[in-house]
Amino acid sequence: LHDQLEFRGVKLHAVNLGRVTPMHVGLLGTMAQLYLSDLKEKTRRGQLGRALAGKIPGGRAYGYKVVNGRSGEREIVDAEASIVQRIFRECATGKSARAIAKGLNADGIPGPDGREWRDTTIRGQVDRGTGILNNAIYVGRLEWNRCSYVKDPRTGKRVARPNPKTVWEVVSMPELRIISDDDWEAARLQQQNQSHEVRRDDTGNPLN
């Protein structure tokens, strides 16, 4: 903005600085960037502390509700928990996520936040731990720091990048278990059987 105004012969002034010069733009921009980087690291340390203390630093997963007055604590919602169990049982029998979602919608069962069920809500992405079938909290295990989020400087959008298992923080939370280990492993196996590699063009873009 400063460069564009200078090009057009417009002088930019600030109450606390007077005329804004290229030096101000450079120095204050650097200070602002350092502040944001420091804030990001402090936020991450706070989330890590909550996770290690057995508190959930993220949002509310389907099947749970926030415990009033106790930040980071969750308790099971029985009606939603039975739907989670149904999803895992149907997946274990070989049903696709799309077929499971279609069945839930046909039965008039509202999805997370009252929306319709979609296959992506159920299957998510295995490497990022998203989707109902990949959320380890259903077997009483909090897996934190599975992904890092960085901003694409070209688009300004956040991009998720899976982290190696060596940097995950895993905390046992048996009081939040909804499904058995057998159902969890059966769902893992079915996802492997149903997965397929997406072919890409020379630039790396996925092909339809």
Side-chain angles (χ1 to χ4, degrees):
L1 175 62
H2 179 265
D3 289 345
Q4 292 179 28
L5 292 175
E6 285 285 319
F7 177 72
R8 290 167 174 77
V10 179
K11 308 304 179 186
L12 185 64
H13 292 259
V15 173
N16 59 332
L17 298 174
R19 182 183 171 188
V20 177
T21 66
M23 183 181 70
H24 289 123
V25 174
L27 290 176
L28 296 178
T30 300
M31 291 171 61
Q33 188 62 43
L34 290 173
Y35 170 80
L36 290 176
S37 298
D38 183 56
L39 179 62
K40 178 182 177 181
E41 184 57 30
K42 286 181 178 177
T43 301
R44 187 183 179 283
R45 287 201 304 269
Q47 290 179 331
L48 172 60
R50 288 168 67 84
L52 294 178
K55 310 288 185 181
I56 296 179
R60 181 184 65 85
Y62 182 82
Y64 304 96
K65 66 179 179 180
V66 178
V67 179
N68 288 333
R70 290 186 287 180
S71 177
E73 295 189 20
R74 303 287 187 269
E75 61 184 15
I76 296 173
V77 178
D78 292 336
E80 293 184 358
S82 66
I83 303 304
V84 172
Q85 292 166 349
R86 168 178 167 173
I87 290 171
F88 274 87
R89 284 196 306 268
E90 293 186 357
C91 176
T93 64
K95 262 191 174 182
S96 69
R98 183 173 298 179
I100 295 172
K102 185 177 180 179
L104 293 171
N105 290 328
D107 291 342
I109 298 171
D113 299 322
R115 301 188 302 269
E116 278 197 344
W117 288 94
R118 296 183 178 277
D119 61 326
T120 52
T121 306
I122 294 172
R123 60 179 169 80
Q125 293 184 321
V126 177
D127 56 348
R128 298 182 187 177
T130 60
I132 286 180
L133 292 175
N134 301 307
N135 194 341
I137 197 66
Y138 295 126
V139 285
R141 188 170 69 245
L142 172 63
E143 295 178 345
W144 184 80
N145 201 35
R146 289 190 58 141
C147 287
S148 297
Y149 294 89
V150 294
K151 183 179 289 187
D152 186 334
R154 183 176 56 86
T155 63
K157 294 182 178 180
R158 290 202 317 162
V159 178
R161 292 178 177 170
N163 290 330
K165 284 189 176 182
T166 53
V167 301
W168 293 7
E169 295 293 345
V170 180
V171 180
S172 177
M173 304 184 75
E175 70 279 6
L176 297 182
R177 177 186 285 272
I178 288 178
I179 64 167
S180 67
D181 290 332
D182 288 342
D183 287 342
W184 174 261
E185 293 302 329
R188 303 272 70 68
L189 180 60
Q190 286 300 326
Q191 282 188 301
Q192 291 174 13
N193 293 338
Q194 295 172 7
S195 66
H196 62 278
E197 184 177 354
V198 178
R199 295 184 62 189
R200 299 176 182 273
D201 62 20
D202 294 338
T203 62
N205 293 319
L207 300 174
N208 262 337

